[in-house]
Amino acid sequence: MNVLVLNAGSSSLKFQLISTDLDAMERDGDHRLARGAIERIGGHALITLRPEGKRRLLREVTLRDLRAAIEFVVKWIASHESEIPAIQALADIHAVGHRVVHGGQQFRRSVRIDDQVLHAIEDCIELAPLHNPANLRAIRAVTEFLGPGIPQVAVFDTAFHSTMPETSFLYGIPYSYYRRFGVRRYGFHGTSHRYVAFRYRTLRNIPRDEVRIVTLHLGNGCSACAIRNGDSFDTSMGFTPLEGLMMGTRSGDVDTSVIPFLADKEGLDAHEVERVLNKQSGLLGISGLTSDMRELLAEEREHQDRRVTLAIDMFCQRVRRYIGAFVAELGGAQTIVFTGGIGENSPEIRARICQGLECLGLELDPERNAAHVDGRTGSIARPDSKLDAWVIPTDEELLIARDTVRVVERGFA
Ligand code: ADP
């Protein structure tokens, strides 16, 4: 089955084409046929398409909206120019898997999209006003362009965390706010945490219900997850992705009293302060330079800028704090797992995070740490380390494709 995986944002679209079926996933025999992205939808858009094993193709086209973007991509994929042998016509795309950010309390796993599911995703807009509308537009665009017959599956960022107990997901505020409005912690990046946990147990040959680990997704957005018996037990993101670790432009945990205080001082309303916490904070806010960790590390090496070092040190200390908290919540763990752009590629940040974690039994191996970059998977701790540390590149698209096939072929993920 050739599955088109779509991750739609407000003005961008990431896509992959993955060929897999129930047998292939048993053997890890899935094939990635192509990947790409569109930026600046709504204007002069930039589109990249990389068929597997071939050079990257680039196009600049004016694309009015997400529907036009999806139509363009699908036609391009099916054209001779893309040279994807498995896709000769639109009918060679057999199903579409969507990353949907917020599944609220309703969706605990991936589901086939029908009218009822569409309405339920609509109901979650209130909880994810920035993300769910784009996901819904993408779903409708596919129906319009490829026809109502094409199976579409929604894979939710929140679903993996639906196993969190009340003690993890409730805030210490009046219980009625949870009951009346669904104010609780939902958690995000679930597909990534679930994927690396799955990879870890497969590689170590551990039964699912014996997995007890802390996963760290460190990219532009960052979150930690405590996984017990293979399920999410706690995670650092909350009602929205703002809570928890310090991120590229998000503050992470802040005393909420800061919000009315800043609103008064700056003459802003609560929504505007929230925007500052989401868009102008984190690594960017502290360094005053950039949200990009690679640039910060280069800047630190060249200019020893105090605020740059401070931003990186704060970032690392926050991660360390959550590792300590989550290992304690789990009553001990087999390993911590690094993933995401920073987690997969930066031995330096990993080393700075793990500094002092000998108290938890974690002894990093500097050579193994340095060797695990560019998509390499494996342990970076010393063989005698009581708490292990792994690097496992995430692959959310693969999991979305696999869930799509499972839902379409056997009815559940
Ligand atoms: P997203 O969360 O948007 O998917 P990524 O997972 O791609 O983002 O992570 C992007 C982050 O990873 C950026 O801060 C980038 O600088 C960082 N990053 C990528 N490669 C490296 C590297 N070699 N060293 C340090 N940081 C890196």
Side-chain angles (χ1 to χ4, degrees):
M1 193 180 276
N2 299 323
V3 182
L4 178 65
V5 176
L6 296 180
N7 180 356
S10 55
S11 67
S12 67
L13 176 75
K14 290 191 214 150
F15 59 90
Q16 289 199 15
L17 196 60
I18 294 173
S19 165
T20 188
D21 57 42
L22 295 176
D23 276 347
M25 53 182 103
E26 275 305 306
R27 298 178 272 110
D28 247 347
D30 328 66
H31 286 296
R32 201 175 313 267
L33 303 175
R35 68 175 82 200
I38 310 187
E39 280 158 44
R40 302 195 305 245
I41 297 171
H44 206 56
L46 182 69
I47 307 136
T48 55
L49 172 64
R50 204 164 103 215
E52 197 63 10
K54 304 207 173 105
R55 68 186 170 81
R56 204 164 61 132
L57 306 170
L58 265 178
R59 280 282 196 87
E60 278 189 61
V61 187
T62 302
L63 292 172
R64 195 176 59 248
D65 53 18
L66 200 56
R67 188 189 184 286
I70 288 174
E71 187 172 333
F72 183 90
V73 162
V74 171
K75 279 187 179 158
W76 198 12
I77 285 175
S79 74
H80 288 306
E81 190 195 346
S82 67
E83 293 183 60
I84 305 170
I87 312 288
Q88 298 292 333
L90 297 185
D92 293 329
I93 297 173
H94 302 126
V96 179
H98 295 266
R99 173 190 180 217
V100 179
V101 171
H102 216 306
Q105 304 209 74
Q106 213 143 336
F107 296 107
R108 302 174 70 89
R109 50 177 56 207
S110 305
V111 290
R112 183 149 177 174
I113 298 169
D114 56 19
D115 283 347
Q116 208 180 340
V117 168
L118 265 181
H119 288 136
I121 298 174
E122 262 166 7
D123 288 343
C124 298
I125 287 183
E126 194 180 44
L127 299 169
L130 297 179
H131 297 104
N132 275 29
N135 303 141
L136 281 164
R137 276 201 298 279
I139 295 167
R140 294 209 168 93
V142 169
T143 311
E144 280 172 31
F145 184 61
L146 291 176
I150 184 143
Q152 298 193 67
V153 171
V155 180
F156 300 92
D157 249 27
T158 46
F160 180 62
H161 302 299
S162 67
T163 51
M164 285 197 290
E166 276 186 319
T167 49
S168 297
F169 76 65
L170 284 178
Y171 289 114
I173 59 176
Y175 191 81
S176 60
Y177 292 141
Y178 162 57
R179 245 195 8 245
R180 288 162 62 207
F181 309 127
V183 176
R184 50 160 285 179
R185 311 183 59 254
Y186 290 95
F188 299 87
H189 285 153
T191 315
S192 178
H193 291 295
R194 182 180 144 214
Y195 177 77
V196 296
F198 159 77
R199 282 282 287 161
Y200 175 74
R201 78 173 152 89
T202 318
L203 291 165
R204 293 288 320 280
N205 215 357
I206 303 175
R208 187 182 190 280
D209 58 6
E210 285 174 22
V211 173
R212 202 148 42 104
I213 62 178
V214 176
T215 49
L216 305 161
H217 179 107
L218 310 178
N220 285 315
C222 301
S223 69
C225 183
I227 297 176
R228 195 173 73 172
N229 306 339
D231 293 329
S232 174
F233 176 76
D234 203 350
T235 190
S236 59
M237 284 178 167
F239 182 63
T240 75
L242 183 56
E243 192 180 340
L245 302 176
M246 193 168 112
M247 316 180 201
T249 63
R250 293 192 193 114
S251 61
D253 296 331
V254 168
D255 182 337
T256 47
S257 305
V258 164
I259 295 172
F261 182 86
L262 279 181
D264 285 347
K265 289 279 180 201
E266 293 276 57
L268 303 171
D269 67 24
H271 293 284
E272 288 164 332
V273 178
E274 189 199 18
R275 206 183 135 74
V276 172
L277 298 181
N278 266 305
K279 301 276 181 196
Q280 293 167 30
S281 302
L283 293 172
L284 172 66
I286 297 294
S287 71
L289 275 181
T290 172
S291 63
D292 190 300
M293 184 59 94
R294 199 167 12 186
E295 287 174 21
L296 287 175
L297 287 167
E299 187 68 23
E300 188 183 44
R301 273 192 299 274
E302 282 167 33
H303 299 114
Q304 290 96 40
D305 183 303
R306 190 189 83 83
R307 293 246 309 267
V308 167
T309 301
L310 181 61
I312 300 172
D313 286 345
M314 284 174 69
F315 178 93
C316 294
Q317 183 175 329
R318 268 300 166 89
V319 180
R320 195 154 58 234
R321 181 191 297 172
Y322 269 91
I323 294 173
F326 282 179
V327 170
E329 281 191 359
L330 294 173
Q334 292 136 347
T335 190
I336 61 172
V337 180
F338 288 98
T339 194
I342 301 172
E344 293 167 25
N345 295 302
S346 182
E348 179 170 351
I349 296 296
R350 293 192 301 245
R352 281 162 82 163
I353 288 170
C354 293
Q355 237 166 41
L357 289 186
E358 296 79 14
C359 65
L360 297 181
L362 175 58
E363 310 264 353
L364 221 53
D365 181 321
E367 277 171 29
R368 286 172 137 190
N369 183 31
H372 281 80
V373 288
D374 297 333
R376 266 197 68 188
T377 300
S379 169
I380 55 171
R382 287 184 13 191
D384 56 347
S385 181
K386 285 202 195 70
L387 175 63
D388 207 349
W390 277 61
V391 175
I392 302 181
T394 194
D395 196 342
E396 293 161 88
E397 291 79 8
L398 180 65
L399 198 52
I400 294 173
R402 286 182 171 191
D403 270 13
T404 300
V405 168
R406 284 189 279 245
V407 167
V408 172
E409 295 215 332
R410 63 170 200 211
F412 59 94

